[in-house]
Amino acid sequence: MKIMVIQGPNLNMLGVREQHIYGPVKLEQIHGGMKEFAGQNNVEIDFFQSNLEGEIVDKIQECYGEVDGIIINAAAYTHTSIAIRDAIAAVGIPTVEVHISNIHRREEFRKENMIAPVCASSIVGFGPFGYHLAMIGLIQVMNEVQAAKEAQANQAK
Ligand code: DQA
């Protein structure tokens, strides 16, 4: 099973940007922890970060037929991007969105969420640990999808 982790704009600045909100941990450290957990669970994992909306749409489309699950923090695009939402819906790959901060407790504009309705789940406000929780949840969802496919294949026999 394979997971793609997609990180949106300014997340390459973690550890530097607004530490009172996002903390001191860098993106590479988060990815290092995820890679370790993936290895322990026999899951392949890949990482992608972009500050550009179109590149994120391209990456989601590339996942089609290649990847079993997506973890995405669309960052500021969460609140604006119909294109990213449509891409997630188009590929139909189980997706979990993560937000390091609790977007519900911040500015009004962060309460608007274009991405959540097309995701299996949203994890917010747990800091970098949210990515770990997202992996646990996504592995469960991917196992369920796999089991359902196998059951269908057996019925067709
Ligand atoms: C964020 C929350 C967004 O509102 C913000 O624009 C980000 C990061 C988070 O992880 O808490 O860049 O997605």
Side-chain angles (χ1 to χ4, degrees), residues 9 11 17 22 73 75-76 78-79 98-101 103 106 110:
L11 293 171
R17 75 183 285 213
Y22 300 111
N73 183 346
T78 304
H79 316 296
V98 175
H99 297 287
I100 295 165
S101 65
I103 51 176
R106 298 181 62 191
R110 291 186 208 276

Side-chain angles (χ1 to χ4, degrees), residues 60-68 91 93:
I60 294 166
Q61 289 185 9
E62 277 171 29
C63 288
Y64 184 71
E66 300 290 330
V67 158
D68 306 292
V91 295
I93 299 167

Side-chain angles (χ1 to χ4, degrees), residues 32-47:
M34 293 177 88
K35 211 169 171 174
E36 198 179 321
F37 187 71
Q40 290 160 358
N41 286 277
N42 264 330
V43 169
E44 264 184 77
I45 194 159
D46 237 322
F47 303 95

Side-chain angles (χ1 to χ4, degrees), residues 12 28 61 83 87 94 105 107 130-132 145 148 150:
N12 54 319
E28 301 78 62
Q61 289 185 9
R105 292 181 61 186
E107 301 94 329
Y131 289 97
H132 191 80
V145 169
E150 280 168 14

Side-chain angles (χ1 to χ4, degrees), residues 112-123:
E112 187 79 61
N113 190 330
M114 298 290 167
I115 311 296
V118 293
C119 291
S121 181
S122 303
I123 294 174

